[in-house]
């Protein structure tokens, strides 16, 4: 059924093939990922994300890297978030922010 709730994640003792997304072969539906993320939050993963985004099930809120890592970790999968920084773009952004700070906020009136 289309409106059926997603399956519960498998217990940690389940075989490795069943660990990821309850053993689904295809990529899970967004609704499933949203529900699994809420279950991860209930287990204590990413309390800051929960405070900012909960509830997420049935919404059009974006699931970002932090939420994806929390979801994967709740399935017992090691996940690390890496940030790739464009040093040149970062330097430009800092210069713009510094200029705005010197101008007292920088907005035109």
């Amino acid at each position: 059924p289309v409106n059926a709730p997603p399956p519960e994640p498998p217990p940690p003792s389940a075989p490795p093939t069943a660990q990821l997304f309850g053993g689904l072969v295809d990529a899970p539906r967004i609704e499933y990922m949203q529900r699994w993320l809420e279950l991860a939050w209930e287990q204590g993963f990413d309390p800051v994300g929960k405070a900012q985004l909960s509830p997420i099930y049935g919404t059009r809120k974006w699931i970002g890297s932090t939420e994806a890592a929390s979801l994967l970790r709740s399935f017992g999968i090691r996940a690390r978030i890496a940030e790739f920084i464009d040093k040149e773009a970062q330097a430009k952004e800092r210069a713009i922010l510094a200029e705005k700070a010197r101008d007292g906020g920088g907005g035109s009136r």
Side-chain angles (χ1 to χ4, degrees):
V2 173
N3 293 327
E8 296 291 319
S13 61
T17 55
Q19 283 297 104
L20 186 59
F21 305 131
L24 292 176
V25 176
D26 295 324
R29 296 169 51 134
I30 297 296
E31 296 86 8
Y32 287 18
M33 293 177 66
Q34 289 174 327
R35 180 63 184 126
W36 286 327
L37 179 56
E38 288 187 344
L39 291 170
W41 287 338
E42 290 172 15
Q43 294 172 32
F45 292 91
D46 190 22
V48 173
K50 178 182 180 180
Q52 292 174 346
L53 296 173
S54 186
I56 199 165
Y57 182 74
T59 71
R60 296 183 57 92
K61 297 174 186 174
W62 285 44
I63 295 174
S65 55
T66 304
E67 293 78 36
S70 298
L71 191 152
L72 291 170
R73 290 172 183 151
S74 74
F75 278 93
I77 297 167
R78 292 174 52 191
R80 182 184 302 181
I81 300 168
E83 180 179 15
F84 298 91
I85 300 171
D86 179 337
K87 299 283 187 187
E88 187 177 317
Q90 186 180 46
K92 288 178 184 176
E93 290 173 7
R94 286 185 177 162
I96 291 169
L97 290 173
E99 184 178 328
K100 285 185 177 187
R102 282 191 302 271
D103 294 343
S108 59
R109 297 176 202 240

